[in-house]
Amino acid sequence: MLRCPVPSLLVVLTAILTVCPSGSAASVEPPVRTPVTAGDLLRMRTIREVVIDPEARFAIVSIESFDSKGDSDAGPEERRRPGDHEIRRHLHRVDLQDRNPSLIPLTFGDRRDGSPRISPDGSRLAFIRQAVSGGEDDEKPQVWVLPLNGGGEARPITRFEHGVSGAEWSPDGRHLLVETRWNLSDLIEADGPPVWDAGRPGRLASEHAVEPDPDGTVEEVRAWLDANTDDRTPKLVNRLGYLGERAVEETWRPRQLMLVDREGEEEPIRLGKGVVDRRSGVFTVDGRSVVLVTTGGEQHPDLTLDSRLEIIDLETPDVARPLFDEDGWRVSDPQSGPDGSLIAFVAQRTDEPAYRGRQIGLVPASGGEPIWATSGEWTSVSSYRWGHEPATVLFTARRHGGVPFFTASPATLQPVESNRLREGLPAQVHGFDVGRDTTIWIESSAGAPSTLRVLDETGERLVFDPNPWIATREIARPTEDWITRPDGSQVQSWLLPPNGLLPGETAPLILAIHGGPMSMWGPAEPTMWLEWQLAAAWGYGVVYANPRGSSGYGERFQRGNHQNWGAGPAGDCLAALDAATERAWVDPDRLVVTGGSYGGYLTAWIIAHDHRFKAAVAQRGVYDLATFFGEGNAYQLVEWAFGGYPHDPRFAAMLDRESPVRHAARIETPLLVLHGEDDRRTGVSQSGMLFRALKVQGRPVEYVLYPGAGHDLSRSGDPVTRMDRLVRILEFFTRFAPPDETRLPSVSPEPGGEVGLEKGI
């Protein structure tokens, strides 16, 4: 293929971000700065989503904040308690034609509003609203529509039993395509039984209805048992993927696509037939058809990773035609091209799901072979949009500690990367949209965990910073390093110094390890931003690396931890630590280590094989791979990463060898084990196994379980519980590797000051 000229907007983007990385040339007197505190978590506001009006006149953003409950406005003298604060999300409008815009609140109250979608003419906003508490008895999330011109109240237009998880406007703005879940029994009643086995050995459904009776005939006894399981007392599990994030989900509820009118008055129309899973629907440009992703058919969707791209003509809503259906591929996120001739989609090979990159394909709307705009070998697509130039897509991907923009088209040999630096360090794009000649995106950087930026014909500018209070805080900046390992691989790492370090002073150092194991950390990692800044405020430095198995460095590097979760990645992290200890300010006698999820696994592995650390904190980790296979909903990682299962003699010994709990006799380092009681991703019992293995040996170990917390405690859990986790880790470190006393908090943190606004482990 011939290389076409780089799109003009990309040239502008690259030039601006390279020459003017700060986004502002203004010079101001530096403010008086104070250390970051744990209470600053309650001040934090995060831009979660952004969509742009097709004419680029305005944008809608979803902003997450932590607000106190009405009866829990604790004063400075009262301690904060878990449950005092709630996570809320509200929608705001920003005028992009105003060079100094203000955000206009559109939604309020005890709600979480998200997934905003602007109608094609810009007159209405559809969004998904759910209750704050999120309990089983709460109303399920539904689609609401809010008039944007002339005022008016938002009102719900769907009332689906199991709520909704997505909505898209039709090109004429008269309908929305809504994704919801159906009861399996209802789908079977409507379309007939599937061809795959229902999973009840030796048991077929009765053809005749009988009265339930535990003392009756066999048929009546079976009816009584079925009635009990229908009430989930007990729960009958007959599917492989029966674990959700925090609860048992013994019944599969297929996703279905429903066509609803914008007023919510007409009977919804289901698209497609059969007991399959249908999702991610979008309209074609002419509005006559819907393109969607389908899983299942010949076998239960729990038993396959493959999926296919289909198209349904609205004149025949029961009939689905394949657009891309090849064995060994899973697809997602279809988007119709601007002129309607092409459908873009994301695809990933399923032969090595832990290592393969996500790539963009373009298929004719009339059907045919796809054209691959990217390969997954070096770039794995995070999100994408059709670009400003013909047949061009703009996408983001993890790359060397950042998440930059790329552009690609069938005419380019390789995607073109824009230099995404902010203050000289890689930044990360977390969501973006394109409208007319404008690109708008959510960005995190080393200096700001969440900002809204826009690029148009006039250049790039900062639109909104939801956390201006950060300008009053002391912020540490990391430095980059690359280490060459004995096998020739290159490992990138980052070193964050403590705040206020004077010449000749030394400080303790935290080795921090990411999860996944296919995650990637950089200086702009928003999930760790406050945590690392708090450590710097307490007087700790932080070093973190992206060891083999991390994403952002190509498929080969990501495959580097295959059947080697312990020694190889541990060596990479320790090499980064060795390089960091060469700095004069690092005290090699005050080293500590921590990590979460897979990072918890590697923390336990490291302290079983290296005794230089004064203390360690293992968080929500996997410690026994055989047990993880049985109790974690991410159990597939065992087969993906090691090639087999614990019950297979060919792999049992290797899985034992790679399990940290099997090396617990070697652990001497004081260890704090943290875990959520409702964590179904890794399971809970392994943390107890590790604790008990150390406790019976008389080793220094402490075990903390967080009630009601799932695996994502540190990212989406109760705000005050998250504060507890932050300071509990640092307090544990101070027992064994304390910083200088002048660095430690000497007074209680100031009040939070509420502000009004692929599965890994």
Side-chain angles (χ1 to χ4, degrees):
M1 292 182 292
L2 297 177
R3 181 180 296 274
C4 72
V6 176
S8 58
L9 187 63
L10 178 65
V11 174
V12 176
L13 182 65
T14 303
I16 289 173
L17 296 176
T18 304
V19 177
C20 305
S22 67
S24 173
S27 178
V28 296
E29 191 70 23
V32 176
R33 299 180 184 273
T34 57
V36 166
T37 69
D40 283 337
L41 176 68
L42 301 181
R43 296 177 178 269
M44 194 74 72
R45 294 193 298 170
T46 304
I47 308 169
R48 291 298 184 190
E49 298 162 292
V50 60
V51 292
I52 194 171
D53 166 51
E55 298 300 317
R57 297 166 297 183
F58 63 92
I60 305 293
V61 294
S62 171
I63 298 180
E64 180 178 279
S65 62
F66 307 126
D67 295 342
S68 63
K69 293 182 179 178
D71 58 352
S72 59
D73 292 323
E77 71 285 353
E78 300 179 53
R79 75 175 179 91
R80 301 184 185 89
R81 294 174 173 83
D84 282 350
H85 288 71
E86 293 176 323
I87 303 172
R88 294 172 181 164
R89 290 187 184 182
H90 296 141
L91 301 177
H92 303 257
R93 175 174 175 157
V94 55
D95 183 359
L96 297 179
Q97 297 175 334
D98 185 345
R99 300 299 297 181
N100 188 23
S102 298
L103 262 66
I104 302 172
L106 297 178
T107 64
F108 311 84
D110 299 337
R111 303 177 174 115
R112 294 182 189 171
D113 297 330
S115 302
R117 295 293 185 268
I118 302 170
S119 63
D121 64 359
S123 66
R124 291 176 172 85
L125 177 68
F127 62 95
I128 295 177
R129 169 167 288 174
Q130 63 181 8
V132 164
S133 55
E136 288 189 4
D137 297 330
D138 292 326
E139 292 186 4
K140 302 299 182 182
Q142 304 290 349
V143 176
W144 291 56
V145 171
L146 172 68
L148 293 176
N149 299 331
E153 295 292 328
R155 62 185 186 86
I157 66 164
T158 65
R159 295 172 181 81
F160 291 115
E161 177 185 359
H162 300 295
V164 301
S165 56
E168 298 291 339
W169 286 98
S170 63
D172 62 7
R174 296 173 57 187
H175 294 85
L176 289 112
L177 190 61
V178 176
E179 185 178 303
T180 186
R181 289 189 180 271
W182 274 46
N183 294 322
L184 180 58
S185 58
D186 293 338
L187 204 58
I188 291 175
E189 182 179 350
D191 295 347
V195 298
W196 35 264
D197 181 14
R200 302 201 63 189
R203 173 74 192 276
L204 299 176
S206 175
E207 296 181 359
H208 305 286
V210 297
E211 289 296 319
D213 186 351
D215 299 319
T217 66
V218 171
E219 288 76 12
E220 290 169 335
V221 167
R222 287 173 176 167
W224 184 75
L225 294 173
D226 288 346
N228 292 341
T229 54
D230 287 344
D231 293 336
R232 304 190 75 199
T233 53
K235 299 174 182 178
L236 172 64
V237 175
N238 59 9
R239 56 176 298 210
L240 186 60
Y242 67 93
L243 289 177
E245 283 296 288
R246 297 174 61 178
V248 171
E249 297 176 358
E250 74 278 12
T251 301
W252 175 56
R253 292 192 175 98
R255 287 170 289 190
Q256 299 292 295
L257 292 174
M258 311 294 293
L259 189 68
V260 302
D261 74 289
R262 69 185 183 192
E263 305 299 333
E265 297 173 350
E266 301 173 4
E267 187 70 20
I269 299 173
R270 181 165 67 97
L271 302 184
K273 290 288 186 180
V275 184
V276 296
D277 192 76
R278 289 192 168 97
R279 63 191 185 280
S280 303
V282 293
F283 289 93
T284 55
V285 172
D286 59 15
R288 297 177 180 177
S289 305
V290 168
V291 181
L292 64 149
V293 174
T294 301
T295 304
E298 296 300 318
Q299 54 185 327
H300 193 293
D302 281 356
L303 301 176
T304 179
L305 295 176
D306 288 8
S307 56
R308 57 192 178 273
L309 201 65
E310 294 183 336
I311 187 168
I312 295 176
D313 297 330
L314 295 182
E315 291 184 352
T316 55
D318 293 348
V319 181
R321 297 182 286 112
L323 275 182
F324 177 79
D325 184 8
E326 293 188 15
D327 291 341
W329 290 86
R330 60 178 171 186
V331 300
S332 62
D333 196 16
Q335 296 183 26
S336 296
D339 64 1
S341 63
L342 292 174
I343 306 296
F345 64 100
V346 176
Q348 182 184 32
R349 295 185 184 273
T350 57
D351 58 342
E352 295 181 296
Y355 311 126
R356 292 292 192 181
R358 288 159 38 94
Q359 56 192 92
I360 296 175
L362 308 175
V363 64
S366 57
E369 291 296 317
I371 302 169
W372 297 108
T374 72
S375 76
E377 184 177 1
W378 286 105
T379 54
S380 183
V381 174
S382 297
S383 60
Y384 81 100
R385 294 286 185 273
W386 282 97
H388 304 287
E389 306 293 333
T392 297
V393 289
L394 181 66
F395 70 95
T396 60
R398 293 173 176 171
R399 186 68 172 162
H400 293 181
V403 183
F405 278 120
F406 296 82
T407 57
S409 78
T412 56
L413 295 175
Q414 296 290 339
V416 180
E417 177 183 353
S418 63
N419 183 20
R420 177 131 303 276
L421 295 179
R422 191 68 60 194
E423 299 173 349
L425 293 169
Q428 296 185 9
V429 176
H430 298 284
F432 72 97
D433 203 4
V434 175
R436 214 176 245 283
D437 58 355
T438 301
T439 302
I440 190 166
W441 68 92
I442 305 164
E443 180 182 290
S444 64
S445 65
S450 184
T451 57
L452 184 67
R453 296 182 178 274
V454 69
L455 175 69
D456 57 22
E457 292 180 335
T458 66
E460 186 218 350
R461 65 185 186 276
L462 173 67
V463 176
F464 176 63
D465 180 355
N467 300 295
W469 56 268
I470 289 177
T472 68
R473 295 292 186 261
E474 297 175 355
I475 302 301
R477 298 294 201 281
T479 55
E480 180 186 15
D481 196 8
W482 286 86
I483 303 116
T484 302
R485 302 290 290 127
D487 63 359
S489 61
Q490 301 286 313
V491 175
Q492 188 181 30
S493 66
W494 308 87
L495 178 60
L496 184 84
N499 284 326
L501 199 64
L502 298 176
E505 290 185 329
T506 62
L509 184 65
I510 301 171
L511 172 61
I513 306 172
H514 71 58
M518 66 288 294
S519 298
M520 180 202 74
W521 275 349
E525 177 54 46
T527 64
M528 300 300 296
W529 189 91
L530 184 68
E531 184 165 339
W532 290 338
Q533 294 299 331
L534 185 63
W538 277 51
Y540 287 93
V542 182
V543 61
Y544 53 97
N546 289 320
R548 65 193 66 199
S550 303
S551 59
Y553 304 88
E555 287 183 359
R556 181 178 179 182
F557 188 84
Q558 196 162 325
R559 196 179 287 110
N561 68 348
H562 186 66
Q563 297 185 338
N564 180 16
W565 268 24
D572 295 341
C573 292
L574 293 173
L577 179 70
D578 290 338
T581 57
E582 295 178 3
R583 301 294 182 95
W585 62 264
V586 176
D587 184 349
D589 292 325
R590 288 187 289 171
L591 303 178
V592 294
V593 58
T594 186
S597 199
Y598 169 74
Y601 165 101
L602 204 54
T603 295
W605 176 277
I606 284 175
I607 61 174
H609 295 84
D610 191 306
H611 301 298
R612 76 180 81 179
F613 297 97
K614 299 301 181 184
V617 180
Q619 310 170 51
R620 52 196 173 86
V622 167
Y623 308 112
D624 184 83
L625 291 166
T627 305
F628 170 53
F629 175 76
E631 71 165 347
N633 71 14
Y635 68 95
Q636 291 169 308
L637 280 173
V638 175
E639 195 271 335
W640 294 352
F642 295 97
Y645 302 108
H647 53 270
D648 188 330
R650 295 174 298 171
F651 300 98
M654 174 174 56
L655 294 176
D656 268 358
R657 184 177 66 248
E658 291 290 317
S659 295
V661 74
R662 305 299 177 184
H663 304 276
R666 303 177 184 176
I667 295 177
E668 301 172 356
T669 304
L671 177 65
L672 171 63
V673 181
L674 302 180
H675 218 94
E677 282 191 345
D678 292 343
D679 184 347
R680 301 281 185 169
R681 193 179 306 176
T682 60
V684 181
S685 70
Q686 298 164 73
S687 61
M689 292 169 65
L690 180 62
F691 166 72
R692 188 166 287 170
L694 297 176
K695 197 69 175 175
V696 297
Q697 298 179 79
R699 303 292 165 77
V701 62
E702 190 166 298
Y703 188 27
V704 173
L705 286 168
Y706 287 102
H711 190 74
D712 282 337
L713 160 67
S714 62
R715 296 181 282 259
S716 59
D718 175 85
V720 178
T721 302
R722 288 156 68 175
M723 289 174 56
D724 178 288
R725 172 190 162 274
L726 287 171
V727 296
R728 192 172 294 275
I729 293 170
L730 292 173
E731 185 278 329
F732 188 78
F733 287 156
T734 64
R735 304 180 199 176
F736 307 98
D740 296 341
E741 290 187 10
T742 56
R743 305 270 176 214
L744 291 172
S746 56
V747 295
S748 298
E750 62 185 272
E754 282 65 54
V755 187
L757 295 178
E758 287 138 9
K759 185 179 288 181
I761 57 170

